Amino acid sequence: MGKGQNEGGFSQEQLDMYKDCFKMMDINKDGVIDKNDLRGAFDNVGVLMSEGELDGLLGEISGPCTYDNMVKMFQEKMAGEGNDSDDLIIQAFKAYDIE
């Protein structure tokens, strides 16, 4: 485990960034990202997603898309070989940064 990382492998700075991004994507602020939240988040950055694409993204998370489940999914993806690197995940979240 790297310096400043918790047992899940993420630094507090990374977890804070994930939480901020989760809050931006949780458009109805109910603590769960559902299909409407996800569609709205992508619409906000000019990306139109099909129903199948939205279902596919939400299907990658075990259970409801809460903050904790989202972080768990990132941990699982990053633990496997050939999965998204930190940089790719960070770039995806930066797409939601308000300049």
Side-chain angles (χ1 to χ4, degrees):
M1 198 168 9
K3 180 181 176 187
Q5 292 182 331
N6 64 19
E7 63 190 43
F10 296 118
S11 69
Q12 188 58 51
E13 181 181 353
Q14 287 173 306
L15 292 172
D16 291 344
M17 179 188 64
Y18 294 160
K19 185 170 284 271
D20 289 343
C21 291
F22 182 89
K23 287 177 182 178
M24 284 192 293
M25 292 176 67
D26 183 17
I27 293 171
N28 65 5
K29 306 298 181 208
D30 66 351
V32 177
I33 295 176
D34 61 20
K35 194 185 299 188
N36 290 327
D37 291 325
L38 196 57
R39 180 182 293 110
F42 277 103
D43 286 352
N44 286 340
V45 294
V47 178
L48 298 177
M49 300 289 285
S50 70
E51 291 292 311
E53 290 170 320
L54 295 170
D55 289 337
L57 288 172
L58 290 171
E60 292 186 30
I61 295 180
S62 300
C65 186
T66 62
Y67 169 74
D68 290 336
N69 284 344
M70 183 182 77
V71 169
K72 181 180 175 189
M73 184 262 307
F74 287 156
Q75 290 168 336
E76 291 169 357
K77 283 193 164 290
M78 293 175 76
E81 263 188 60
N83 286 315
D84 298 335
S85 67
D86 285 339
D87 291 337
L88 185 57
I89 291 173
I90 290 169
Q91 287 174 5
F93 276 122
K94 283 186 178 179
Y96 291 98
D97 282 349
I98 298 170
E99 304 210 10

